[in-house]
Amino acid sequence: MNTTSPEVTPDTPADPGRIVLLTTSHRVAPGLLSWPAWQALHAADRVLCADGAHPQLPYLREAGTAVDEASPTAEELVAACAGGHTVVVVATGEGEPALTDGLARLAGSGRVSMPDLELLPASYDLPGARLLDLVQVMDRIRAECPWSSQQTHKGLAKYGIEEAYELVEAIEDGDRDELREELGDVLLQVVFHARIAEEHPDAPFSIDDVAGGIVTKLIHRHPHVFGDETATTPEEVKEHWLRTKAIEKQRESVTDGIPLGQPGLALATKLASRVRTAGLEVPLPKGEGIGYELLALAAGAEAEGVDPEAALRVAARAYRDAVRTAEGLGA
């Protein structure tokens, strides 16, 4: 068998080579690249990057990869690959649109023998990565916006209530786009308050402290997920939750921690729920007037597993539709 390489003649087309467009996520620490990315970098004949301040460059050079700070045109890049060479382009944050558009035009012309073009993501965003962007945006807004820079926890409190109600409305309407937007508005309130809290002179905390606290709480209150206990029904899960919560809070009364400023129907329901869950026998107070009647209705609904606040909203919305119909506007 003849194992010698075929002779290259003028009629033999030259190997056009290969272009690797290497993309990275700014949400992942520089230098943490995938193994295929490192393989491509080490095997490349040339590595180019248009941005001399690209955060990956110091780590690539430390790993022994020579990087040329260059921004070639599509034609120059194709020429650099001629003869079977591989050129890796470390993409900037914008993704090199001018270069890729130029390569597309060359390929579409049919006049150039194009190198193989490979898009190689070197690092990937993990779930929740866009939250880092939100924190950065909020930090800049807090520093540079005349209105946002003056806000306080107390001044923003009303917006938290409004956004929570708008979220509930989106859920009840079943509008998926509205639901996504309202969840974002609620999330903004959390991030905004956490950013303000960083500036407290005596007891500052950050969004990481907020997230860390809820992570610890969730793990502790789910021993059937993260520990050795078992739970096979929602009722058993609730028992775990209430038991661990009682240990954490060390409350003197089942009423401790119930916000008295919430809407009256929700407040009555929450009190009834705490009493029933604790197994207490507490007669409803007797009195004259609609307030006591509503209290009895709320307690009865809660005992039957009905959320009277949600039920009343459904009825109120039906009433709203009836009013609009009477006005000739339609629901």
Side-chain angles (χ1 to χ4, degrees), residues 20 61 93-95 114 125 162 175 178 190 192 199 201 225 229 239 254 259 261 282 292 303 309 314:
V20 179
R61 288 165 176 157
E94 291 73 29
M114 293 296 294
D125 287 343
E162 290 174 5
D175 188 325
E178 193 72 14
V190 175
F192 203 163
E199 302 168 8
V225 176
E229 297 193 35
E239 288 176 9
V254 297
V282 182
Y292 290 94
E309 184 78 28
V314 170

Side-chain angles (χ1 to χ4, degrees), residues 62-310:
E62 185 178 350
T65 299
V67 182
D68 297 331
E69 295 178 19
S71 182
T73 64
E75 291 81 358
E76 292 169 340
L77 187 57
V78 169
C81 293
H85 297 111
T86 296
V87 178
V88 173
V89 178
V90 180
T92 61
E94 291 73 29
E96 307 297 337
L99 179 60
T100 54
D101 288 348
L103 290 171
R105 284 194 297 270
L106 281 180
S109 71
R111 296 181 288 101
V112 179
S113 179
M114 293 296 294
D116 292 334
L117 180 60
E118 177 183 354
L119 176 63
L120 179 58
S123 56
Y124 301 83
D125 287 343
L126 296 175
R130 293 309 300 271
L131 294 176
L132 299 176
D133 292 343
L134 176 58
V135 172
Q136 291 178 344
V137 168
M138 187 69 252
D139 188 61
R140 182 169 178 181
I141 290 174
R142 177 65 174 175
E144 300 180 18
C145 173
W147 183 85
S148 299
S149 62
Q150 300 301 314
Q151 297 309 302
T152 64
H153 293 302
K154 185 176 293 186
L156 290 176
K158 62 180 181 180
Y159 299 111
I161 296 172
E162 290 174 5
E163 298 300 353
Y165 279 128
E166 290 177 7
L167 172 61
V168 171
E169 184 174 357
I171 292 172
E172 292 177 345
D173 286 343
D175 188 325
R176 301 290 296 174
D177 292 336
E178 193 72 14
L179 174 59
R180 182 181 65 249
E181 180 177 347
E182 297 304 336
L183 284 170
D185 290 342
V186 171
L187 179 59
L188 170 60
Q189 297 303 308
V190 175
V191 175
F192 203 163
H193 280 284
R195 178 60 183 83
I196 294 172
E198 291 184 38
E199 302 168 8
H200 195 281
D202 302 318
F205 60 83
S206 69
I207 189 66
D208 288 317
D209 297 313
V210 174
I214 192 61
V215 166
T216 299
K217 180 186 292 187
L218 287 172
I219 292 174
H220 183 61
R221 293 188 185 177
H222 289 79
H224 54 289
V225 176
F226 301 99
D228 298 328
E229 297 193 35
T230 59
T232 57
T233 66
E235 291 73 23
E236 291 177 346
V237 172
K238 188 173 183 179
E239 288 176 9
H240 286 316
W241 182 275
L242 293 175
R243 183 169 61 253
T244 54
K245 185 176 181 179
I247 295 172
E248 291 171 10
K249 299 296 184 180
Q250 293 294 305
R251 289 171 172 158
E252 295 181 355
S253 168
V254 297
T255 65
D256 290 346
I258 297 178
L260 299 180
Q262 62 183 303
L265 199 58
L267 173 60
T269 305
K270 189 66 176 179
L271 287 166
S273 174
R274 287 280 185 90
V275 169
R276 181 179 56 80
T277 302
L280 299 175
E281 294 291 338
V282 182
L284 293 174
K286 302 297 183 181
E288 296 294 328
I290 190 65
Y292 290 94
E293 295 176 19
L294 289 172
L295 174 62
L297 285 172
E302 193 284 326
E304 296 176 6
V306 176
D307 180 355
E309 184 78 28

Side-chain angles (χ1 to χ4, degrees), residues 5-62:
S5 300
E7 181 181 357
V8 177
T9 69
D11 296 329
T12 303
D15 185 346
R18 176 171 169 246
I19 299 171
V20 179
L21 185 63
L22 198 72
T23 61
T24 57
S25 169
H26 67 278
R27 304 177 190 94
V28 177
L32 297 179
L33 307 180
S34 65
W35 177 238
W38 282 116
Q39 287 180 309
L41 287 163
H42 289 313
D45 295 292
R46 289 187 68 189
V47 178
L48 308 178
C49 183
D51 181 7
H54 197 294
Q56 296 289 350
L57 298 193
Y59 299 92
L60 299 184
R61 288 165 176 157
E62 185 178 350

